[in-house]
Amino acid sequence: MEDTFRWTLVTAIAPIAWGTNYFVTHEYLPTGHPLYGAVFRALPAGILLLCVARRLPRGVWWWRSLLLGVCNMGAFFALIYLASQLLPVSLASTIMSASPLTMTLFAWALLAERPTVPVLTGAAAGIAGVCLLLGTGTTAVNLRGVAASVAALTMSSFGYILAKKWGRADGPIATTSWQLIAGGLVLIPFAVLFEGPPPHLDLPAIAGFAYVGLVATALAFTAWFAGLRHLSAATVGLIGLLNPVTGVLLGVLVSGDVLTLRQLLGLALVLFGITLSRPRVRVVGARRPPGLVSKRFDLG
């Protein structure tokens, strides 16, 4: 139980970092270059993690890393970058709160993880909270931004479950680095073809990419894949509801947004959904299967 709680805290790093990523992308990164933005986010972070892991893919993990890199990193980053430029921070971050449902459905289909009543209730509560948050906006909704967010949500949920299905390989640091590098390399020719030369980066943009690469990418995805390695896909998906909470609260603290009573109710529903990700408490004194030993708390 203590080990599960630790992995819950580790996994929570990812959605909190991603919630701040929307604000940084919207405020500091250059507009009109989603492909280059994705390359600048993926490649440096991937190379940094590869230097830490010091392991290259072997066998089937060459093509698996390429596929996962496109789903979880390359195309995903480009779509998220585009959505962050087209949508308000709170709207872009809350759309991703549908991940518990999409991840649960993919896990059911690919891993035979049948959704439980608490998981479905938590997902329903999270989506209801999202609807309350989205319904209070006064600005016009950009449909291209919404489409980009939904595509990113679907593609990444599928990629996350594939990563869990294909096993541990050499640990989350190594596999995350392979995906980041593969996703970044795949995007380079498309960036050159459709966006021309790379955009000029001023100091705020450089600082923004440094934060996005180190915190919202290298650290966040390592924590996320470590959580997928030790927790059920449904539990990880529900923890991901911290993403919209972070985005909305950051809008209040930094952008001066004011929460209405309806939005507060939406946030309460999202937090209620997160609490349902807690595993059942094992009865004290329950018999432990012979030979069972505790696992090391090791991100590698």
Side-chain angles (χ1 to χ4, degrees):
M1 196 57 200
E2 180 183 355
D3 190 60
T4 300
F5 180 70
R6 283 188 198 168
W7 288 114
T8 299
L9 293 180
V10 170
T11 308
I13 295 173
I16 292 174
W18 293 336
T20 63
N21 177 63
Y22 290 108
F23 175 80
V24 173
T25 300
H26 190 270
E27 295 293 327
Y28 298 108
L29 302 189
T31 60
H33 295 85
L35 295 176
Y36 274 116
V39 172
F40 294 159
R41 177 181 181 182
L43 271 182
I47 294 171
L48 174 64
L49 290 179
L50 185 63
C51 292
V52 174
R54 293 184 293 181
R55 296 171 187 162
L56 292 175
R58 296 188 300 271
V60 296
W61 273 96
W62 284 102
W63 69 263
R64 286 180 177 180
S65 298
L66 178 61
L67 178 58
L68 293 176
V70 171
C71 291
N72 297 335
M73 310 298 180
F76 174 70
F77 287 169
L79 290 168
I80 284 295
Y81 193 99
L82 181 62
S84 298
Q85 298 292 346
L86 296 176
L87 298 176
V89 172
S90 58
L91 175 55
S93 60
T94 52
I95 288 177
M96 296 300 293
S97 67
S99 61
L101 180 58
T102 55
M103 288 181 65
T104 298
L105 293 177
F106 280 124
W108 191 5
L110 299 177
L111 304 176
E113 288 187 5
R114 186 178 295 274
T116 63
V117 172
V119 166
L120 293 177
T121 304
I127 293 174
V130 168
C131 291
L132 290 175
L133 287 167
L134 297 183
T136 60
T138 58
T139 59
V141 175
N142 187 301
L143 295 182
R144 287 197 304 147
V146 172
S149 293
V150 172
L153 168 68
T154 304
M155 183 176 296
S156 61
S157 296
F158 175 70
Y160 297 153
I161 302 306
L162 271 186
K164 184 174 179 65
K165 177 181 176 65
W166 284 338
R168 299 171 181 258
D170 286 322
I173 295 179
T175 54
T176 301
S177 71
W178 304 339
Q179 294 178 56
L180 285 168
I181 293 173
L185 291 176
V186 166
L187 284 176
I188 289 177
F190 293 98
V192 174
L193 178 63
F194 292 105
E195 296 180 1
H200 171 72
L201 301 180
D202 55 16
L203 286 179
I206 293 173
F209 274 119
Y211 175 84
V212 168
L214 293 175
V215 178
T217 303
L219 175 62
F221 276 97
T222 300
W224 186 253
F225 287 119
L228 277 171
R229 180 176 177 178
H230 294 273
L231 304 173
S232 70
T235 297
V236 173
L238 283 168
I239 296 172
L241 288 171
L242 287 172
N243 185 333
V245 172
T246 304
V248 172
L249 293 180
L250 191 63
V252 172
L253 295 174
V254 178
S255 301
D257 298 341
V258 178
L259 290 179
T260 66
L261 181 61
R262 185 175 179 178
Q263 287 178 306
L264 289 173
L265 177 59
L267 284 174
L269 283 173
V270 171
L271 292 174
F272 172 70
I274 294 173
T275 62
L276 293 181
S277 68
R278 293 178 302 176
R280 295 177 181 274
V281 178
R282 187 161 44 198
V283 178
V284 176
R287 212 170 155 190
R288 180 177 296 187
L292 184 65
V293 295
S294 60
K295 297 180 180 178
R296 289 178 59 220
F297 185 65
D298 183 5
L299 283 177

